[in-house]
Amino acid sequence: MVFGRKSDELKRRKIEAMYEKSRQKFFPDVPEITVEELRDRLSDADRLVVVDVRSPNEQAVSMIPGAVTAQEFERDREQHRESTIVAYCTVGHRSGLFAKTLGDNGFEALNLRGAILAWTHAEGALENQDGPTRRIHVWGPKYSFEAEGYDPVW
């Protein structure tokens, strides 16, 4: 199991590097939230809306429990005006852009640092239409940085 921990540490560093490169270039001023902070705040569901901005194909594999799709959010975004919006994708690029747009439009929007890949490293739960799952969509071997015990799908 020691090998798995070392491997996971390397994966976490890769996720962090990819996220930080994107953040610095495209959305440096977007506030963010860590996976640990999100897990702690999920009980405050009245004031927190988690939005999965990935494609429907990615969402069909798995989502963070309680999250809504970007399409569901956009149907009536004004109902969430007084909530804190937490956006996520695979690594954090697409969700960073989404959170930036929301912030520019007066929403309190946060980007999930490291996104769903970081979520797996915090042993975050995932679900799909059938219930709990350990599968995660990663876009191919180049993005296969999920934690040990999760099954990558592309």
Side-chain angles (χ1 to χ4, degrees), residues 4 21 25 54 73 76 78 86 95 106 110 120 128 130 141 146:
K21 181 178 179 182
K25 186 172 183 177
R54 300 173 304 150
F73 176 83
D76 188 10
E78 288 305 315
V86 176
S95 54
L110 306 172
T120 68
N128 61 22
D130 298 322
E146 70 289 336

Side-chain angles (χ1 to χ4, degrees), residues 4-140:
R5 286 188 203 141
K6 183 181 267 186
S7 176
D8 275 356
E9 179 58 32
L10 294 173
K11 289 178 179 181
R12 282 192 294 271
R13 281 194 233 146
K14 185 65 174 172
I15 295 164
E16 184 65 23
M18 291 170 68
Y19 173 79
E20 193 58 32
K21 181 178 179 182
S22 187
R23 185 184 77 77
Q24 289 295 326
K25 186 172 183 177
F26 296 103
F27 44 90
D29 299 326
V30 170
E32 52 193 17
I33 186 171
T34 67
V35 292
E36 295 82 8
E37 291 167 333
L38 176 59
R39 194 174 43 220
D40 292 345
R41 290 191 58 188
L42 281 176
S43 62
D44 186 19
D46 291 341
R47 290 254 322 123
L48 192 70
V49 179
V50 180
V51 181
D52 186 328
V53 305
R54 300 173 304 150
S55 73
N57 288 341
E58 294 169 274
Q59 294 162 348
V61 173
S62 64
M63 292 175 59
I64 293 174
V68 299
T69 68
Q71 296 81 3
E72 291 169 323
F73 176 83
E74 291 295 340
R75 277 190 211 123
D76 188 10
R77 69 166 38 187
E78 288 305 315
Q79 76 174 340
H80 304 295
R81 177 67 67 182
E82 301 302 316
S83 298
T84 300
I85 314 305
V86 176
Y88 76 90
C89 58
T90 303
V91 175
H93 178 81
R94 292 173 288 173
S95 54
L97 297 174
F98 185 83
K100 180 177 181 354
T101 298
L102 288 178
D104 290 348
N105 285 284
F107 285 85
E108 181 184 349
L110 306 172
N111 191 23
L112 182 58
R113 186 172 186 87
I116 199 168
L117 283 172
W119 183 254
T120 68
H121 287 275
E123 298 183 20
L126 297 174
E127 64 183 16
N128 61 22
Q129 67 185 18
D130 298 322
T133 185
R134 300 293 280 182
R135 298 176 71 217
I136 178 173
H137 192 285
V138 297
W139 281 106

